[in-house]
Amino acid sequence: MYIWKCWRDTRTRFLINLILIFIMCAVVTIIPTWFGGAASYQRGKAASGVENMWASMGGEVLGEFVSLVLLIEALNIGAGGIGAEFREPTLGFLFTRPRRRRNWVWTCWLVGAWELFMIALAAVVGIFGGLIYLSGHVYTWRLLAAALPLSVGALAVYTATFFLTAVARSSEKGLSFGLGILMIDLFLPVAAYFWHRDLTSILGFTRAGCAWAAGSQGPFPGLQLTIYAALIMALGLGTQFVVERMEV
């Protein structure tokens, strides 16, 4: 089965990244308390101290550090999906099988999407576990919901790279194009500041979603989530359109 091939080609990298990001997030959550940082906390302090710790570590670490790590990982997974078939090359064989090309496209995409979601969830669980260890109890279960905006933001970058890889018929070119789009997205807040306009960026969306999950009073970015979900679907269908009309 093609799903097994996709899993076999990526399982080593996926498992290593899964373990590393879980450990890294748990450690990053606990370390600041050893140096008396802004998020430092001692068991038995007032509830406001717990609230500050969960908000700062959950919102800032997830919204800033983890978001950026996931977006970079999304580039690698997106370029290594269907782009790997161009590099090997194996599309000539796959396209002669008695199955529609759309099956190959969506199977490959789903394996990468599942891996991204699991990595995002591992990061959230790592920070969640670290915060429970520090505070001695669960301040808010809502923090686990941060996996949703983190996954959607990463999937937007992943699917864009996946699409560009198919258009360029090269994993290297797709990675370069995807990196360019990500760099533009990262500079959108700077452009918004000088243009005095409200520009939506993927990192801004994940930051807002993680802040909400960590207990912030701000609203959940539901409109942005809908926009990015529609973009993901459009890019996925665009990849299918390109591959179905591709000559091998």
Side-chain angles (χ1 to χ4, degrees), residues 12-164:
T12 301
R13 179 188 63 192
F14 163 68
L15 292 174
I16 291 175
N17 289 338
L18 188 73
I19 296 171
L20 284 179
I21 199 167
F22 173 81
I23 295 175
M24 185 166 50
C25 286
V27 171
V28 166
T29 304
I30 297 173
I31 280 182
T33 64
W34 297 344
F35 299 97
S40 63
Y41 175 78
Q42 301 279 333
R43 283 189 178 87
K45 280 191 176 180
S48 59
V50 180
E51 180 180 0
N52 176 67
M53 181 185 66
W54 280 70
S56 59
M57 297 306 297
E60 293 175 13
V61 175
L62 281 173
E64 303 287 346
F65 173 70
V66 175
S67 293
L68 187 58
V69 170
L70 280 176
L71 295 183
I72 294 174
E73 183 62 20
L75 285 173
N76 292 326
I77 296 178
I82 200 170
E85 312 300 345
F86 292 107
R87 186 173 58 247
E88 291 183 6
T90 54
L91 282 183
F93 171 77
L94 291 174
F95 286 176
T96 58
R97 300 298 91 188
R99 297 188 67 181
R100 294 183 177 181
R101 294 185 180 187
R102 71 183 64 175
N103 292 331
W104 308 119
V105 172
W106 288 107
T107 298
C108 184
W109 183 87
L110 283 171
V111 171
W114 176 81
E115 291 179 352
L116 266 179
F117 174 75
M118 293 304 297
I119 292 174
L121 185 61
V124 174
V125 171
I127 289 180
F128 188 75
L131 290 171
I132 293 176
Y133 169 78
L134 292 173
S135 60
H137 68 280
V138 177
Y139 175 73
T140 172
W141 287 97
R142 197 169 71 179
L143 183 65
L144 295 175
L148 178 59
L150 286 172
S151 300
V152 172
L155 282 176
V157 174
Y158 161 69
T159 312
T161 308
F162 191 79
F163 169 73
L164 292 169

Side-chain angles (χ1 to χ4, degrees), residues 184-199:
I184 293 173
D185 180 82
L186 293 178
F187 280 103
L188 278 179
V190 179
Y193 175 79
F194 286 104
W195 292 348
H196 304 288
R197 294 185 178 180
D198 187 15
L199 299 177

Side-chain angles (χ1 to χ4, degrees), residues 164-179:
L164 292 169
T165 297
V167 171
R169 303 186 64 161
S170 167
S171 60
E172 291 78 12
K173 291 181 179 179
L175 179 61
S176 299
F177 294 151
L179 181 60

